């Protein structure tokens, strides 16, 4: 998003968490998939381009399993670039070698080679997704993962009549690798996307878009209930999503169930997944499905709307212009915050949660957009410098080999073990016009060491460095976590913990740090392996061995 986009290619921030011992793995069926990555031509918005895809599809193929199953995916890289695949939201117990992020758990899969990844499902149930984890290749290389209830069990809500997968994504007219390469060379922001898509189609509101060619349709029967499995694969933007004249009932989030919430819109963070029920109970007609960004920053962004059609089966005259859902305005912070604050874990006897109560490790981590000094002041970032990003003022330096390999083989000099528990300075992190000396981070590849089964609390504090405060999505590899608190302003360790929800907080793997605000998460470090914690483009490596 805006200035922060460069962190994904210039300023990763990392710390590692090391654990020991084992976790139990569920036993289920075994499935096999072949993913063939290669360049495929696609035409959108009157422009044809070649782009990297899996099995010639955008979005890519759906992986469908039951809870506790295991999947083997043979990834054949017939493209032009190195690539890895990450299984977003899959905990991968004791199996981080197949988690996917390049130079963290593995070296990338080179063109002309193949690599089989093992995906072990354990407690996940609901909708997740997979995507490339090399630069911005995930813009076109992604797809949904559907985890059905284990054999002999059912949903904690009435069985829907049918289901539909909806993948929201970004569309770039230009070549995505070239866009990133240009940003790397200049030190500035990457170009904005040109459109958003629903299941690969931008809809009919963009220039050079026709209804027949550019809009996705969902056919429904009156009186039936449908489970929508929604994936936000958009590169950077949070998304407001709704269906005209139809209520949405949220029942799942990030592969876990929530207490049902009935609403006329959702706000879904990049990387997040939601399970939503709708009942086709309106007059026979066609209704717009629409999605547009929530953006509360000061930089440029793609403020456009993608559409699809919810189309009833039957005999009727379709409207010349279907009704549009009344989504919040793009900058409506209250609507975004209120929606996310309403999410609660189901926390039932059949679907219990385990919120850590006695914390053994506490971390306070500032999330910042920074600048790396260009000696000639000839870069395209602020003040002629290069955009970067940091956590606790440390900007991650990618290692030459994978961190997991370095730890496993006891190779020194690849990473340090001194990621700090707190930032080097305390001040008003949300104030405008901060001193310029605070905007230059320290490069490093650092680790935070944890003992197995530690109860961890991390407070992520958003900052207004470079006057670029905005919402920061974050994602944790290898674990789900409990979002126990969130708020605006600077976190107060004396008063804010008293407002934590320790009874039924949402169990998620992806969530947003509010603009000039904070979130508090808790989890048990019980999964050995090397995993990432990604705050938008700020990446924390969690090495749990």
């Amino acid at each position: 998003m805006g200035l922060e986009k460069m962190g994904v290619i210039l300023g990763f921030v990392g710390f590692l968490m090391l654990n020991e011992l084992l976790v139990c793995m569920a036993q289920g069926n075994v499935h096999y998939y072949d993913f063939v990555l290669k360049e495929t031509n696609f035409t959108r918005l009157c422009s044809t381009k070649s782009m990297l895809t899996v099995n010639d599809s955008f979005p890519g193929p759906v992986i469908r399993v039951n809870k506790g199953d295991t999947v083997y995916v043979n990834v054949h890289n017939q493209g032009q670039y190195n690539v890895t695949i990450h299984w977003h939201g899959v905990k991968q117990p004791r199996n981080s070698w197949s988690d996917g992020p390049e130079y963290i758990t593995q070296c990338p899969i080179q063109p002309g080679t193949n690599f089989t990844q093992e995906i072990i499902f354990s407690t996940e149930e609901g909708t997740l997704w997979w995507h490339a984890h090399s630069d911005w290749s995930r813009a076109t290389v992604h797809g949904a993962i559907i985890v059905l209830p284990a054999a002999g069990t059912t949903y904690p809500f009435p069985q829907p009549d049918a289901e539909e997968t909806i993948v929201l994504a970004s569309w770039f007219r230009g070549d995505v690798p070239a866009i990133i390469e240009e940003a790397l060379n200049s030190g500035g922001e990457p170009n904005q996307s040109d459109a958003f898509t629903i299941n690969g189609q931008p809809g009919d509101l963009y220039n050079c878009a026709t209804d027949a060619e550019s809009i996705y349709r969902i056919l429904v029967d009156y009186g039936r209930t449908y489970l929508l499995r929604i994936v936000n694969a958009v590169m950077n933007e949070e998304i407001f999503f709704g269906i005209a004249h139809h209520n949405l009932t949220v029942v799942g989030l990030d592969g876990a169930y929530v207490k049902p919430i009935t609403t006329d819109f959702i706000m879904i963070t990049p990387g997040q997944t939601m399970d939503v029920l709708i009942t086709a109970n309106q007059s026979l007609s066609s209704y717009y499905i629409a999605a547009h960004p929530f953006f509360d920053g000061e930089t440029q962004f793609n403020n456009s709307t993608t559409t699809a059609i919810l189309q009833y089966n039957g005999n009727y005259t379709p409207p010349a212009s279907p009704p549009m859902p009344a989504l919040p305005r793009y900058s409506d912070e209250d609507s975004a915050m209120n929606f996310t604050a309403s999410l609660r874990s189901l926390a039932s006897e059949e679907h219990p949660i385990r919120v850590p109560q006695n914390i053994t490790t506490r971390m306070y981590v500032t999330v910042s957009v920074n600048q790396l000094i260009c000696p000639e002041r000839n870069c395209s970032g602020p003040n002629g410098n290069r955009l970067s990003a940091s956590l606790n003022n440390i900007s991650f330096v990618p290692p030459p080999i994978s961190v997991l390999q370095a730890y496993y083989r006891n190779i020194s000099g690849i990473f340090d073990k001194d990621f700090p528990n707190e930032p080097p300075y305390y001040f008003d992190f949300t104030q405008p016009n901060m001193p310029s000396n605070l905007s230059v981070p320290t490069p490093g590849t650092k680790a935070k060491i944890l003992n197995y089964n530690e109860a961890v609390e991390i407070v992520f504090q958003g900052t207004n460095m470079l006057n670029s405060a905005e919402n920061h999505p974050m994602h944790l590899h290898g674990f789900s976590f409990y979002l126990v608190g969130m708020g605006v302003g600077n976190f107060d360790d004396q008063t804010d913990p008293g407002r934590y929800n320790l009874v039924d907080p949402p169990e998620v793997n992806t969530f947003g740090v509010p603009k000039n605000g904070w979130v508090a998460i808790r989890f048990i470090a019980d999964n050995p392996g090397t995993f990432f914690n990604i705050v938008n483009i700020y990446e924390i490596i969690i090495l749990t061995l």
Side-chain angles (χ1 to χ4, degrees):
M1 304 174 76
L3 296 177
E4 285 88 334
K5 290 179 180 175
M6 290 309 297
V8 72
I9 51 180
L10 297 175
F12 290 167
V13 179
F15 66 74
L16 310 163
M17 297 181 183
L18 278 67
N19 297 288
E20 306 164 4
L21 301 182
L22 309 177
V23 292
C24 294
M25 290 180 287
Q27 299 296 319
N29 294 323
V30 178
H31 310 266
Y32 298 89
Y33 289 82
D34 280 291
F35 278 15
V36 179
L37 290 105
K38 64 178 182 179
E39 295 286 320
T40 307
N41 287 334
F42 281 81
T43 299
R44 298 289 186 272
L45 307 181
C46 296
S47 177
T48 299
K49 72 170 187 175
S50 178
M51 65 189 201
L52 188 66
T53 63
V54 170
N55 298 355
D56 297 319
S57 60
F58 174 71
V62 174
I63 291 177
R64 181 179 288 266
V65 299
N66 287 90
K67 181 179 180 180
D69 286 356
T70 297
V71 172
Y72 291 92
V73 180
N74 194 350
V75 181
H76 306 261
N77 186 0
Q78 298 179 7
Q80 305 171 21
Y81 308 97
N82 292 341
V83 71
T84 60
I85 304 293
H86 168 56
W87 320 100
H88 192 110
V90 182
K91 297 181 180 69
Q92 291 277 45
R94 287 180 47 212
N95 193 40
S96 63
W97 295 100
S98 283
D99 190 50
E102 63 178 9
Y103 296 115
I104 304 303
T105 63
Q106 67 181 82
C107 293
I109 306 167
Q110 297 179 345
T113 67
N114 67 293
F115 179 73
T116 298
Q117 292 179 257
E118 179 187 36
I119 304 100
I120 299 174
F121 293 88
S122 54
T123 62
E124 307 88 357
E125 188 173 334
T127 305
L128 302 170
W129 67 302
W130 59 264
H131 58 83
H133 211 295
S134 306
D135 289 333
W136 270 19
S137 50
R138 69 178 173 88
T140 59
V141 177
H142 58 251
I145 299 174
I146 296 174
V147 186
L148 300 170
T153 67
T154 62
Y155 298 117
F157 46 82
Q159 178 75 29
D161 296 296
E163 65 177 52
E164 181 81 22
T165 300
I166 295 177
V167 179
L168 309 173
S170 303
W171 180 263
F172 296 82
R173 282 195 175 94
D175 179 60
V176 173
I179 291 171
I180 296 307
E181 185 66 24
E182 169 62 24
L184 276 168
N185 291 336
S186 69
E189 298 181 62
N191 291 342
Q192 301 291 326
S193 63
D194 296 290
F196 300 111
T197 61
I198 296 176
N199 287 352
Q201 297 293 344
D204 57 3
L205 300 185
Y206 292 97
N207 291 332
C208 198
T210 61
D211 180 81
E213 296 178 355
S214 61
I215 196 161
Y216 186 82
R217 293 175 182 271
I218 298 175
L219 302 180
V220 298
D221 292 318
Y222 180 84
R224 302 186 77 188
T225 296
Y226 297 82
L227 175 60
L228 304 183
R229 300 181 178 275
I230 304 173
V231 177
N232 185 358
V234 170
M235 291 302 293
N236 292 291
E237 290 85 355
E238 289 83 6
I239 295 292
F240 287 124
F241 172 96
I243 303 175
H245 297 181
H246 290 75
N247 288 330
L248 310 176
T249 301
V250 182
V251 293
L253 176 65
D254 284 357
Y257 294 116
V258 298
K259 291 180 172 64
I261 301 168
T262 300
T263 176
D264 53 6
F265 73 91
I266 62 171
M267 197 283 285
I268 185 167
T269 291
Q272 204 168 56
T273 57
M274 287 189 187
D275 296 324
V276 175
L277 296 173
I278 67 160
T279 298
N281 55 9
Q282 299 299 303
S283 300
L284 299 187
S285 188
S286 294
Y287 300 86
Y288 265 128
I289 304 168
H292 71 217
F294 162 60
F295 186 81
D296 55 2
E298 302 298 329
T299 57
Q300 295 182 351
F301 70 104
N302 176 2
N303 187 19
S304 67
T305 300
T306 180
T307 55
I309 294 291
L310 186 77
Q311 180 176 313
Y312 280 68
N313 293 315
N315 296 319
Y316 60 90
T317 301
S321 181
M324 182 71 73
L327 298 178
R329 194 169 184 271
Y330 75 87
S331 58
D332 190 339
E333 296 181 23
D334 289 341
S335 291
M337 180 73 83
N338 290 338
F339 174 78
T340 55
S342 68
L343 297 169
R344 296 285 187 271
S345 285
L346 184 58
S348 66
E349 182 177 349
E350 295 79 13
H351 300 278
I353 61 174
R354 186 166 64 111
V355 184
Q357 303 291 322
N358 300 313
I359 300 301
T360 58
T361 296
R362 297 183 187 274
M363 303 181 69
Y364 183 63
V365 179
T366 53
V367 183
S368 302
V369 182
N370 299 95
Q371 54 184 336
L372 297 174
I373 300 299
C374 293
E376 302 298 325
R377 301 285 178 167
N378 58 351
C379 296
S380 297
N383 309 309
N385 293 319
R386 181 176 294 277
L387 285 167
S388 183
S390 75
L391 296 179
N392 281 351
N393 211 43
I394 299 171
S395 188
F396 181 60
V397 177
I401 63 173
S402 78
V403 171
L404 180 57
Q405 179 184 3
Y407 186 86
Y408 184 77
R409 297 184 178 177
N410 198 27
I411 302 173
S412 61
I414 302 302
F415 65 91
D416 299 318
K417 301 179 180 179
D418 59 351
F419 187 90
N421 283 347
E422 59 185 349
Y425 312 106
Y426 279 85
F427 49 91
D428 181 358
F429 295 114
T430 64
Q431 66 178 308
N433 304 316
M434 294 185 189
S436 59
N437 66 303
L438 297 175
S439 67
V440 180
T442 300
T445 308
K446 295 182 177 293
K448 171 64 181 178
I449 312 301
L450 291 178
N451 293 319
Y452 174 78
N453 223 31
E454 285 203 50
V456 183
E457 177 179 303
I458 306 176
V459 175
F460 290 100
Q461 175 68 59
T463 72
N464 196 23
M465 202 71 68
L466 300 181
N467 294 324
S468 58
E470 62 186 39
N471 187 291
H472 304 284
M474 58 90 65
H475 166 59
L476 181 60
H477 290 222
F479 302 88
S480 291
F481 58 86
Y482 297 101
L483 185 82
V484 298
M486 63 188 303
V488 296
N490 295 296
F491 176 76
D492 187 324
D493 63 358
Q494 298 299 310
T495 60
D496 285 328
R499 300 188 291 114
Y500 284 177
N501 174 12
L502 301 178
V503 177
D504 59 353
E507 181 182 3
V508 297
N509 62 64
T510 306
F511 221 82
V513 181
K515 174 184 177 180
N516 284 331
W518 56 271
V519 298
I521 71 171
R522 288 186 175 186
F523 66 97
I524 300 294
D526 59 358
N527 188 8
T530 304
F531 297 104
F532 254 170
N533 187 348
I534 304 178
V535 185
N536 193 15
I537 42 62
Y538 315 86
E539 309 208 2
I540 301 172
I541 310 164
I542 301 176
L543 180 53
T544 55
L545 294 174

